[in-house]
Amino acid sequence: MTEASKPLNGEIQTGTGNGAGANNDAGRTILVGVLGGILSAAGYLVYQRLPDEQKERLHRQVRGILESRINELRSNFNI
C-alpha cells in the first residue's frame, strides 16, 4: 500500500477491481456451461429421431475422423 492509499483513522478499505473480474469470469463460465448443456441436449434429441441408416452413416463418419486424428497424433509423437 502506498501512503496515499492507506486507510485513515481505522477505516476499513474494501478491495476494488479484483472481485469484479472474478465475478464476470464465473458468470461467463456458468453461462457457457448452461448453453453447452442445452445444445448437447438438443443435439441428442435430433440424433434420437434420425433413421437407423443415417445413424450408421454418422457413426462411420465419426469413426473415420477419430481414426485419422489418432493416426495424426501417433505420427506426430512417433508412437
Side-chain angles (χ1 to χ4, degrees):
M1 250 188 220
T2 64
E3 203 58 37
S5 64
K6 285 186 180 177
L8 301 174
N9 301 328
E11 295 173 350
I12 298 174
Q13 256 188 340
T14 59
T16 57
N18 293 340
N23 288 339
N24 284 341
D25 289 344
R28 288 180 182 161
T29 302
I30 291 171
L31 178 64
V32 168
V34 168
L35 288 176
I38 291 170
L39 288 174
S40 65
Y44 181 72
L45 289 175
V46 169
Y47 172 78
Q48 269 188 322
R49 300 185 74 150
L50 288 175
D52 288 337
E53 63 265 358
Q54 286 184 340
K55 286 182 184 179
E56 287 300 319
R57 189 180 331 150
L58 186 60
H59 286 189
R60 282 193 306 268
Q61 289 175 345
V62 170
R63 282 187 201 114
I65 291 170
L66 281 174
E67 286 175 2
S68 67
R69 183 67 179 146
I70 288 170
N71 288 334
E72 180 184 334
L73 288 172
R74 284 182 178 166
S75 67
N76 287 343
F77 291 111
N78 297 325
I79 296 176

